[in-house]
Amino acid sequence: MTDDFPFWTFSLAVYGRGGVPEACLALQEAYGIDVNLLLFCCWAGAGGTALDEAAMKRCADAAGAWHGEIVRGLRTVRQRLKGGFGSVRGEDAEALRRKILGLELEAEKIEQGLLAGTMSVPAAPAIPAAEKVRASVSNI
């Protein structure tokens, strides 16, 4: 998946804001939150789309296995290499860890494509910002 798409563009913009990466990672570590699903809830809400139980099931069906096996698997390996690995030279482990980070990011982009494919969300609906926030919070 080489092309950007609206959900990915939204996620990059949100994740690039001050404090957001730290908050997302804290939720991921403390509660096992799928950050891509969290961002999807916000993206759908910003588009004025409410996610009901059926929509969330479609999301889980579309991306759950990919997230659980591929994204988390890559993350586990990357985290395991942090600070080195046994007798492997530190710089070799770090070089591999950086490569895996790139693969993990690509896997997350694929997951976002799977999530985005579950429904159509308007790019910039003409609804008040407060309504977008309410929809996002409700989705979460």
Side-chain angles (χ1 to χ4, degrees):
M1 178 173 294
T2 57
D3 296 334
D4 286 349
F5 48 94
F7 174 36
W8 181 251
T9 302
F10 171 89
S11 295
L12 292 176
V14 169
Y15 206 80
R17 293 181 182 161
V20 172
E22 296 82 6
C24 287
L25 293 176
L27 289 169
Q28 179 178 285
E29 292 299 315
Y31 302 104
I33 299 292
D34 177 351
V35 172
N36 288 313
L37 188 54
L38 175 66
L39 290 168
F40 183 76
C41 289
C42 294
W43 177 67
T49 300
L51 302 175
D52 59 14
E53 191 174 326
M56 293 305 290
K57 181 170 180 353
R58 283 194 307 275
C59 290
D61 290 347
W66 180 263
H67 177 80
E69 295 179 38
I70 305 303
V71 174
R72 282 189 179 166
L74 287 167
R75 183 177 305 131
T76 298
V77 172
R78 177 184 53 82
Q79 290 172 336
R80 180 63 184 98
L81 290 170
K82 191 172 186 173
F85 186 87
S87 62
V88 175
R89 292 181 342 162
E91 58 267 18
D92 290 340
E94 180 57 26
L96 181 57
R97 193 180 80 75
R98 283 191 306 273
K99 289 177 185 176
I100 293 170
L101 177 60
L103 294 172
E104 184 183 350
L105 185 61
E106 185 64 23
E108 293 208 41
K109 187 175 183 180
I110 291 169
E111 179 184 352
Q112 287 202 357
L114 294 169
L115 291 168
T118 63
M119 68 184 55
S120 177
V121 173
I127 59 175
E131 191 175 323
K132 292 178 183 183
V133 170
R134 275 193 297 276
S136 295
V137 170
S138 174
N139 288 343
I140 293 169

